[in-house]
Amino acid sequence: MKTSVFLGTLTAAGLAAGIASAATLDDVKARGELNCGVNTGLVGFAAPDANGNWSGFDVAVCKAVAAAVLGDGSKVKYVPTTGQTRFTALASGEVDMLARNSTWTFSRDTDLKLDFIGVNYYDGQGFMVRKDLGVSSAKELDGASICIQTGTTTELNLADYFKANNMSYQPIAIDSNAEGEQQYIAGACDAYTTDASGLAATRAAFADPDNHIILPEIISKEPLGPAVRHGDSEWGDIVRWTLNALIAAEEYGVTSANIEELSKGTQNPEINRLLGVEGDLGKMIGLDNDWGKRAILAGGNYGEIFAATIGESTPIGLARGLNAQWTQGGLLYAPPFR
Amino acid sequence: MSETHAQTVAYVRDTMLPEQPPPASQAGVVRWLRENLFSGPLNTVLTLAGVATIYWLVGHYYGWFARSVWNAGSLAECRQIIAATWGEGLSGACWAVIRDRWHQYLFGFYPPALYWRPVLVFVLLFVALAPVLFSAFPRRMLLFSAIYPVLAIWLLWGGSLWPEVMIVLGVVLGYLALRLLEPRLPGFAIFGAIGVALAFWAWGAGPLADALRALVPVSLTPAASDRFGGFLLAITLGVGGIVMSLPLGIMLALGRQSDMFLVKALSVCFIEFIRGVPLITLLFVASLLLNYFLPPGTQFDIILRVMILVTLFAAAYIAEVVRGGLAALPRGQYEAADSLGLDYWKAQRLIILPQALKISIPGIVSTFIGMFKDTTLVVFVGLFDPLKGISDFVRADFAWKGIYWEPYIFVGVIFFLLNFGMSRYSMYLENRLKRDHR
């Protein structure tokens, strides 16, 4: 490291040489900071405020993992990644994990050598149209011009959907959400399509939200989840079970308000194991027994995070829908902590 | 009228008539309009079309600018204020977003408590540039200009002062070696000097810096590269790229003109390769591909990587611009230099380059302006450029979601001011260096 001291300065901020081991956990602990790949800015999911502090639904996952591993949810370095750079950044080791509303697909999981460790948001692609268009279903959009972001899965879904329903459409290519909104408002396209969560946020930000409707059809499955690299299953386990801990905590009614109370011991052995009162689950993933408690304390359980970032009380106003617990008719189902 | 001026011969007028005012069509505004705007059918049509366009633009956008809101907490609040002040259904500019987030546009995520450092660097930049750009300033100030880059690096990134001192020390040692070796090994002294400097940096600098750090700890709070953003990033990249690409470009241009096959071949390959590849490709190489080649875990500062690539990119263009200047010099200048008995470097330094660079000024400045604007492309490698990177962040906050033109206009105006300044300076320099009698 001595020679690198100079080179580091010569390069103005660092050329810290050192051979990284395959174990991401050790790297993160040695660094004392979790490098988390996030979106370059998506309302409700990842956004920095005026002071540069990140918050959002995806950011909460980063915080929970940092809290579980490092004991402090603020020890995260957020690396904004674009749609093009996100997977390379993960594969090249620039980030330890990706929490960037990325759809879990077959080819990404296998060919791109990522491991999606679960789903933190079940999304789907929807359409927004002006009310005066008189359309109430996506099936009536035959011949419409549609604003669509290029290079995304939404573009392919749109083509599939219209082909399957034997309809035609005129794509208006856009580059970013902001541009899409602008084009749509200016009347360059009849409909705007993107993930339903994005549509809701976009509509809520309009000057006249009542003049626009989101069509009921959801034309694709977009399970968005955090991802890690292939080949380091120990690290993958940590991220996976941190997310599961957040989901399970909601199911068992563990909230940031009552967690101190519950961590003194409860009648429910599952909660006890989750919070490290019983058993030694933490040891099995290379952490201490309090990891689950710290992860939940970082931002609350899944439901609390949802409510605080994108839920119905926020301006974005997303309903739980598919993202409710399995006991509430949703798809969230954490495997047992045993 | 006196008697002597009386009309003696009926048909000869020997007194001046009082001056008549020119006809109305040949004076004042009317004349100017006739000459400049309506001098023929084509110009008349163009003028009318231009006026119509301006009228249309102003008519369309004046209202939007006139209904500007500066104090609001969110876009929704802006809309309420506009509706309350000017009536429902009107749109207006919501500059409150700039008021709320201007510091992010200027500094990115640089720690607010340390804003004074980039500001100081920016002010000192002008002190350092003054003697370089204007000959009226005392030459002694050039010493400060020489130290400035190192000082700026220290102030911007913080950390211990000693590694920066080591950089200066290496240069000084190299210079001393050059002076010592020059009489003994003419021609090779430069290699010896570079060798001494590199050896010092590789083996001597680290331990010495550590020792000094332990002895006299002088350090600033470090600010990591990922905190840089906005115009701080754009100007850092732009100034760094300009300062490094000019000498590199001149060397490449000379290399391409060289008689030595290897030097010429390498220069041509480099220039043609870089010019043949889009800048974004190079940026992707800098940010992603390099990570695969370097040993795993190596942290090679992203700003430095991008700056190097931007510099190489600009240098290739500068090289071709300077080559144009070299080619424009009459052959007699080269022969005159040779006949004076000057060696290659002296001939270049005293005779060829001053003239060639003077010819190349507009091209060089154009390249710099282009490069400065191209720094916004770093958004594609995850750096926060002011135009899109920061705007995306700002729009990701629900309060400002849906804002579109205001950030672009704000950033565009600042870019315009900086680039306009550069362009005016180049015109000033051209005038000052004008030696012909036109």
Side-chain angles (χ1 to χ4, degrees):
Chain A
M1 285 304 285
K2 286 288 178 193
T3 50
S4 70
V5 168
F6 171 68
L7 287 173
T9 13
L10 183 67
T11 62
L15 195 144
I19 306 299
S21 57
T24 312
L25 176 60
D26 297 340
D27 288 350
V28 173
K29 277 184 171 167
R31 205 187 298 128
E33 199 175 47
L34 174 75
N35 290 342
C36 196
V38 293
N39 199 302
T40 51
L42 181 65
V43 173
F45 284 81
D49 64 8
N51 300 319
N53 300 318
W54 287 79
S55 64
F57 189 69
D58 280 339
V59 167
V61 178
C62 301
K63 283 185 178 161
V65 172
V69 174
L70 300 168
D72 184 350
S74 63
K75 287 186 174 164
V76 187
K77 179 179 155 190
Y78 298 98
V79 181
T81 53
T82 65
Q84 291 93 352
T85 61
R86 52 184 165 178
F87 300 129
T88 332
L90 182 60
S92 65
E94 201 182 326
V95 298
D96 304 312
M97 61 176 283
L98 206 59
R100 192 203 174 277
N101 58 302
S102 300
T103 307
W104 184 355
T105 68
F106 182 94
S107 58
R108 285 175 181 175
D109 205 341
T110 55
D111 195 31
L112 287 180
K113 305 236 179 299
L114 309 178
D115 272 344
F116 283 88
I117 55 87
V119 175
N120 67 336
Y121 190 86
Y122 289 94
D123 213 337
Q125 185 175 347
F127 295 95
M128 177 164 58
V129 295
R130 262 176 297 278
K131 228 174 219 171
D132 53 23
L133 199 64
V135 171
S136 59
S137 155
K139 296 258 165 60
E140 299 166 29
L141 283 175
D142 195 8
S145 58
I146 298 178
C147 280
I148 174 81
Q149 204 171 337
T150 51
T152 59
T153 49
T154 52
E155 193 182 14
L156 309 173
N157 297 333
L158 182 70
D160 286 356
Y161 180 77
F162 273 76
K163 197 173 169 197
N165 287 291
N166 204 13
M167 300 192 296
S168 67
Y169 69 103
Q170 189 197 346
I172 310 285
I174 53 160
D175 170 59
S176 65
N177 250 328
E179 196 198 332
E181 291 163 31
Q182 203 62 28
Q183 293 278 38
Y184 171 75
I185 292 180
C189 46
D190 301 323
Y192 176 45
T193 180
T194 186
D195 288 346
S197 61
L199 282 183
T202 299
R203 178 173 171 272
F206 280 166
D208 53 345
D210 295 337
N211 294 337
H212 305 268
I213 52 168
I214 295 173
L215 300 178
E217 282 85 358
I218 296 293
I219 65 166
S220 72
K221 291 188 284 186
E222 309 279 349
L224 310 179
V228 297
R229 274 183 295 279
H230 252 327
D232 187 355
S233 301
E234 285 76 16
W235 176 248
D237 288 343
I238 292 172
V239 182
R240 173 179 301 114
W241 285 95
T242 304
L243 177 62
N244 283 337
L246 299 180
I247 296 172
E250 189 191 12
E251 185 185 344
Y252 302 135
V254 180
T255 66
S256 46
N258 66 11
I259 190 166
E260 292 297 345
E261 183 77 13
L262 294 176
S263 58
K264 287 177 187 142
T266 65
Q267 298 300 314
N268 186 337
E270 182 108 7
I271 295 180
N272 290 347
R273 285 192 293 271
L274 175 65
L275 300 181
V277 185
E278 265 179 56
D280 42 11
L281 296 185
K283 218 168 274 172
M284 296 180 198
I285 53 172
L287 302 174
D288 60 356
N289 256 351
D290 273 347
W291 68 278
K293 183 183 167 191
R294 286 197 306 265
I296 297 162
L297 269 175
N301 64 33
Y302 183 93
E304 289 176 272
I305 293 171
F306 196 103
T309 54
I310 52 179
E312 280 172 320
S313 60
T314 66
I316 302 161
L318 291 174
R320 286 297 288 268
L322 288 179
N323 297 293
Q325 293 286 335
W326 64 285
T327 49
Q328 313 280 323
L331 291 177
L332 293 184
Y333 186 102
F337 277 73
R338 181 173 291 283
Chain B
M1 289 261 167
S2 66
E3 284 299 303
T4 48
H5 285 276
Q7 306 280 338
T8 48
V9 185
Y11 52 85
V12 176
R13 182 192 287 283
D14 59 2
T15 52
M16 291 293 284
L17 284 175
E19 254 181 34
Q20 296 286 316
S25 65
Q26 287 299 316
V29 180
V30 177
R31 179 179 169 194
W32 187 88
L33 285 175
R34 276 177 72 110
E35 281 185 359
N36 291 291
L37 297 179
F38 301 100
S39 63
L42 179 65
N43 279 355
T44 307
V45 170
L46 287 179
T47 301
L48 290 178
V51 169
T53 311
I54 293 173
Y55 177 78
W56 183 82
L57 284 176
V58 170
H60 253 72
Y61 295 108
Y62 173 74
W64 189 78
F65 280 104
R67 293 185 287 272
S68 290
V69 175
W70 286 92
N71 286 304
S74 70
L75 181 58
E77 210 180 313
C78 266
R79 285 173 179 148
Q80 279 173 10
I81 294 174
I82 290 168
T85 321
W86 290 284
E88 287 290 337
L90 291 169
S91 66
C94 183
W95 303 107
V97 63
I98 306 297
R99 198 185 156 92
D100 190 38
R101 297 297 185 102
W102 62 272
H103 57 284
Q104 281 183 340
Y105 277 99
L106 295 189
F107 300 103
F109 297 118
Y110 208 80
L114 307 179
Y115 279 170
W116 63 272
R117 272 158 48 181
V119 170
L120 181 64
V121 168
F122 189 65
V123 171
L124 289 181
L125 173 67
F126 291 99
V127 179
L129 280 180
V132 180
L133 299 184
F134 301 101
S135 51
F137 287 89
R139 296 294 86 191
R140 227 175 261 167
M141 280 175 73
L142 282 172
L143 199 63
F144 176 74
S145 310
I147 299 175
Y148 175 76
V150 179
L151 183 68
I153 290 171
W154 183 54
L155 280 173
L156 285 179
W157 275 275
S160 173
L161 172 66
W162 295 113
E164 274 81 5
V165 172
M166 293 302 117
I167 299 179
V168 179
L169 207 56
V171 174
V172 171
L173 280 177
Y175 178 72
L176 287 179
L178 184 69
R179 293 299 292 271
L180 276 174
L181 291 173
E182 185 78 67
R184 277 156 224 154
L185 290 167
F188 291 94
I190 185 76
F191 298 109
I194 293 172
V196 166
L198 286 181
F200 172 74
W201 283 331
W203 292 295
L208 190 55
D210 285 348
L212 284 169
R213 200 193 322 239
L215 213 61
V216 194
V218 184
S219 75
L220 289 171
T221 322
S225 279
D226 61 332
R227 314 292 289 178
F228 283 57
F231 279 99
L232 171 59
L233 178 71
I235 294 176
T236 305
L237 286 175
V239 172
I242 285 171
V243 167
M244 293 191 291
S245 67
L246 184 59
L248 187 61
I250 292 173
M251 295 311 291
L252 282 169
L254 293 178
R256 195 170 184 164
Q257 298 278 50
S258 167
D259 297 329
M260 287 185 272
F261 173 74
L262 197 63
V263 172
K264 184 178 171 129
L266 284 176
S267 302
V268 170
C269 283
F270 178 86
I271 292 170
E272 295 305 332
F273 173 73
I274 297 278
R275 288 207 311 164
V277 178
L279 179 58
I280 294 196
T281 315
L282 291 177
L283 289 176
F284 274 127
V285 169
S287 89
L288 302 172
L289 210 54
L290 272 182
N291 275 354
Y292 285 109
F293 295 143
L294 295 169
T298 309
Q299 302 253 318
F300 191 178
D301 188 70
I302 179 76
I303 291 187
L304 182 77
R305 279 188 267 168
V306 166
M307 197 186 281
I308 290 174
L309 266 297
V310 167
T311 302
L312 296 182
F313 191 78
Y317 282 85
I318 295 280
E320 286 300 278
V321 170
V322 173
R323 191 169 69 96
L326 291 174
L329 274 197
R331 219 182 138 61
Q333 296 292 325
Y334 291 87
E335 288 165 353
D338 287 344
S339 68
L340 284 173
L342 299 176
D343 67 13
Y344 178 78
W345 291 109
K346 275 192 180 143
Q348 295 298 340
R349 187 162 60 86
L350 298 173
I351 299 202
I352 309 297
L353 280 181
Q355 301 184 67
L357 289 181
K358 192 185 83 183
I359 299 172
S360 320
I361 287 171
I364 291 177
V365 174
S366 286
T367 311
F368 284 162
I369 289 177
M371 192 197 80
F372 183 49
K373 290 190 292 184
D374 281 350
T375 57
T376 52
L377 291 176
V378 298
V379 68
F380 291 106
V381 296
L383 292 177
F384 324 125
D385 84 295
L387 194 62
K388 189 165 185 301
I390 298 288
S391 296
D392 276 357
F393 286 130
V394 171
R395 288 195 199 102
D397 185 343
F398 189 80
W400 302 117
K401 186 172 171 62
I403 208 125
Y404 194 71
W405 296 109
E406 292 86 346
Y408 285 148
I409 293 173
F410 171 70
V411 173
V413 165
I414 294 189
F415 264 111
F416 176 80
L417 289 178
L418 294 172
N419 289 330
F420 188 65
M422 271 199 259
S423 133
R424 295 314 288 189
Y425 173 75
S426 102
M427 285 177 72
Y428 156 82
L429 196 61
E430 274 175 69
N431 279 328
R432 204 188 73 195
L433 296 179
K434 208 180 260 176
R435 287 286 179 270
D436 50 2
H437 305 283
R438 251 177 285 170

